[in-house]
Amino acid sequence: MNSSTALPLFGEDTEQDEAEIQPLPPALGMAAAAARLVPYRDTQFEDGHARALLVVDCPFCDHQHVHSAGLATAPRICPRQSRCVGRPGGSYYFPAVTQ
């Protein structure tokens, strides 16, 4: 290789590359989401206590998000808020949790 030959580090810049850059999504704000408590037995813990998960129906991406809720006998449920990882800019909270 000739020492005077400069190789591009990340490839050549083209106009097509600039067209592929997408702007950041707009802020989606805060929305209420339905959530339910799902108990399960975790084999990682030897104490034998049932654990709980919060399963949230996301209002932004139409998927379910899962959050740890601690012990099933005394779950941590409200008030909580989180952000959607599928649609950045959207945050949700669950005003009520069903079992």
Side-chain angles (χ1 to χ4, degrees):
M1 181 167 108
N2 187 345
S3 62
S4 64
T5 304
L7 296 175
L9 185 59
F10 298 106
E12 295 182 28
D13 291 333
T14 64
E15 290 182 27
Q16 182 181 8
D17 291 338
E18 292 178 14
E20 292 176 8
I21 297 173
Q22 300 294 324
L24 292 175
L28 300 173
M30 179 78 70
R36 61 193 164 284
L37 196 60
V38 178
Y40 72 101
R41 181 96 32 209
D42 193 345
T43 58
Q44 263 188 320
F45 295 96
E46 296 179 12
D47 59 7
H49 295 292
R51 306 275 189 242
L53 296 173
L54 278 172
V55 179
V56 180
D57 298 324
C58 183
F60 299 106
C61 69
D62 295 326
H63 288 92
Q64 294 178 332
H65 299 284
V66 179
H67 301 272
S68 175
L71 294 174
T73 55
R76 298 181 316 267
I77 51 174
C78 290
R80 289 176 95 173
Q81 73 178 37
S82 190
R83 61 186 172 83
C84 176
V85 294
R87 296 279 310 270
S91 295
Y92 57 87
Y93 65 97
F94 11 107
V97 176
T98 59
Q99 292 190 7

